[in-house]
Amino acid sequence: MEPSSSEVAAARTAPAEVGLHARVLEHLGTAICGGELPAGSVLNIDELVDRYAVSRSVIREVLRVLASIGFIEARRRVGVMIRPASAWNVFDPQVIRWRLASAGRMAQLRSITELRTAVEPHAALLAANRIGHDEASDLVGLAAKMWAAGEAGDEERFLHLDIEFHRRILLASGNEMFVRLQELVAEVLTGRHKHHLMPHHPHQQALQMHADIAQAIQRHDGERARQTMVQLMEQAFDEMKSLWEQIGMPDRGAHRAPTTR
């Protein structure tokens, strides 16, 4: 297969320039999500070149990426303008990561948990109907490893296993659109860990629910897998909300994740 023009361009880009691009993109993306650059603000390319001490080509590439996810638009006789949040591609993993780093973190966690509550229970039901014997056994083994890592307080390993557990269920669902949500799930789980919205030792109830979901899928009990996944989503959001309140941050309208039962 011939490489795309974008792949060729990326391959020719000097490593130093790639690093500068990533730094500027991260800073501007976070500033937009955090409200430091509100909707309606105008970005000036020359000012950005001076502020970040980079070339115009780096700034243009950063702006191209921001435009592709709906953050900015070029307007004649105005310049590059920040667009409102309603125009953003909220499914883009970068956007999710930047929003999780902002003061509106709980609103982002709430919306993602509501999406997961709508999707992952049905993915678990489909997985119970479609998963192969070996895949099901591996999922049960993965839940056991999660339990061991959680009990040991090994947060990094637990995070890795948790991401893999949910990825495998989405994959086993056999629905290609569900599978595409795995990056979104990985970002929210990583964000919970990074921003200390996950307990050092996961609650036994959560560990048990992961095990119950895996076993229900292995037994091809789709309804049991679905119901338990709903309970897991609700428990996860209540846990995040509680930890958020403990560190003295405002709720900002967060509420219990809705049940689909």
Side-chain angles (χ1 to χ4, degrees), residues 10 14 17 25 29 49-50 67 71 82 124 133 151-152 174 181-182 245 247:
E17 188 164 299
L25 178 62
V49 167
D50 292 340
F71 274 25
I82 307 295
H133 175 76
E151 290 283 286
L181 295 176
Q182 61 181 292
E245 291 168 347
I247 60 176

Side-chain angles (χ1 to χ4, degrees), residues 1-12:
M1 180 182 294
E2 290 294 322
S4 67
S5 58
S6 60
E7 289 172 332
V8 171
R12 292 174 178 171

Side-chain angles (χ1 to χ4, degrees), residues 192-204:
R192 282 191 65 192
H193 174 75
K194 179 179 179 181
H195 299 293
H196 310 293
L197 294 172
M198 186 176 286
H200 180 64
H201 289 276
H203 297 309
Q204 284 213 343

Side-chain angles (χ1 to χ4, degrees), residues 225-241:
R226 186 192 71 80
Q227 290 179 358
T228 309
M229 185 66 85
V230 170
Q231 293 168 6
L232 180 62
M233 295 294 105
E234 292 175 345
Q235 190 269 348
F237 190 79
D238 285 346
E239 184 177 82
M240 287 185 286
K241 184 170 179 284

Side-chain angles (χ1 to χ4, degrees), residues 164-176:
E164 182 64 13
F165 181 86
H166 290 277
R167 187 191 73 82
R168 291 196 189 190
I169 290 176
L170 291 169
L171 186 62
S173 75
N175 183 299
E176 71 278 6

